[in-house]
Structure formats: structure tokens, C-alpha cells
Amino acid sequence: MDDDDLPRRRDDVLAALIKQPLDPLSVDELGERIETLEAEIERVKAHRTAATSHKAVAESLFKKG
């Protein structure tokens, strides 16, 4: 079973982030939040790329045939 198939934990950070009200934030704070989230998106994409590459290498090593 892949980790993607596992249910998310109830205390999932992403779920908490989505539920946070944005009304109390200033325009500057919203800008900072956007920058932080964009940086996190890039970090996650880089990790996904590396994981995909590692998986492909592992599959080629154990390929039958």
C-alpha cells in the first residue's frame, strides 16, 4: 500500500491551514503567507520529483525480464 492510499490524520496540518480565517490578516500578512505557501509548493514539487526519480531507479534495478 502506498502512503497516498492511507487516510489523512485528523490533526493534519493542511486541514488546519485551510480552516484558518483570513479576515484577521493584513494585506502584508496575506502577501507573506502567499510567498511562504509558494515556497512550500516548490519544496514539495522538488521532493516529489526526487521521489519519482528514486522510484524509477529502484524499479529498473528490480525489473524482471
Side-chain angles (χ1 to χ4, degrees):
M1 177 186 292
D2 290 341
D3 289 342
D4 295 341
D5 297 333
L6 298 174
R8 289 188 178 234
R9 295 176 17 186
R10 291 189 183 261
D11 61 345
D12 187 346
V13 176
L14 290 176
L17 181 68
I18 292 168
K19 292 177 184 177
Q20 289 180 342
L22 300 176
D23 292 337
L25 300 177
S26 70
V27 172
D28 288 339
E29 290 171 323
L30 290 169
E32 289 174 10
R33 185 179 176 116
I34 290 168
E35 289 176 12
T36 301
L37 291 170
E38 287 174 340
E40 179 63 5
I41 289 168
E42 290 306 313
R43 186 178 79 91
V44 171
K45 285 180 177 180
H47 183 76
R48 179 181 62 183
T49 299
T52 302
S53 175
H54 289 140
K55 182 178 178 183
V57 169
E59 286 175 349
S60 70
L61 287 174
F62 296 102
K63 188 176 182 179
K64 294 182 181 178

